[in-house]
Amino acid sequence: MILGVLAIYFLWIYWETKNKKNLLIAGLIIAFLPIIHTHTFVTMIIVAMFLAIIQLFSDIKNIKKTIFDWTWFAIPIIIIALPLVILIFPMGKHFFRWQFGWMKGGESLWWFWFKNLGIYLLLIPTAFVF
């Protein structure tokens, strides 16, 4: 988890300074996550993808620079992480698939979420309003 936090730190620094060196460092850190903690790897890739999309749409004037900067992030991931992902995950076995409520067992999905959310079920709409 510390590597995920460290990658977030460098993404944050990039977001403030727009220095592509920070994206390269974040990419290097994230590139080794498939063999250390796969869920953090997947999460960080999704977060970085959303950050890149937000930056692309918010800075239309500098779209080439944005793509060039995020290429520095993608290079270590393609070179280091992609071969690791191909080796680690079984192809054709549906390792990654969406299963909403996969831990619910034989009970209803609604009852599962009601039990697990408890008081937070009331607090979520209240927090959203405030």
Side-chain angles (χ1 to χ4, degrees):
M1 190 168 137
I2 190 68
L3 289 178
V5 172
L6 194 59
I8 289 171
Y9 171 76
F10 282 106
L11 287 171
W12 186 289
I13 296 297
Y14 167 75
W15 199 259
E16 290 181 349
T17 64
K18 301 296 187 247
N19 184 354
K20 65 182 172 259
K21 181 180 115 178
N22 294 311
L23 275 180
L24 177 65
I25 295 170
L28 282 169
I29 294 168
I30 293 171
F32 289 102
L33 282 174
I35 58 174
I36 298 169
H37 195 261
T38 308
H39 292 93
T40 305
F41 171 74
V42 172
T43 303
M44 294 308 303
I45 293 297
I46 292 169
V47 166
M49 180 183 68
F50 278 116
L51 287 175
I53 291 170
I54 289 169
Q55 186 178 358
L56 278 172
F57 284 113
S58 67
D59 197 11
I60 297 292
K61 296 174 190 168
N62 297 327
I63 199 163
K64 286 184 180 179
K65 182 189 180 313
T66 301
I67 292 172
F68 180 73
D69 287 355
W70 282 96
T71 302
W72 282 95
F73 174 80
I75 287 172
I77 292 173
I78 291 169
I79 293 172
I80 299 168
L82 188 60
L84 292 173
V85 169
I86 290 171
L87 285 173
I88 292 172
F89 299 120
M91 297 298 162
K93 303 236 196 275
H94 302 290
F95 185 77
F96 286 113
R97 64 184 179 275
W98 182 259
Q99 284 188 306
F100 192 69
W102 62 277
M103 293 184 66
K104 69 179 179 60
E107 64 188 355
S108 164
L109 181 66
W110 301 108
W111 177 244
F112 170 79
W113 280 108
F114 181 75
K115 283 189 335 186
N116 285 290
L117 287 177
I119 189 71
Y120 295 111
L121 191 59
L122 300 172
L123 294 176
I124 290 171
T126 308
F128 181 75
V129 169
F130 292 105

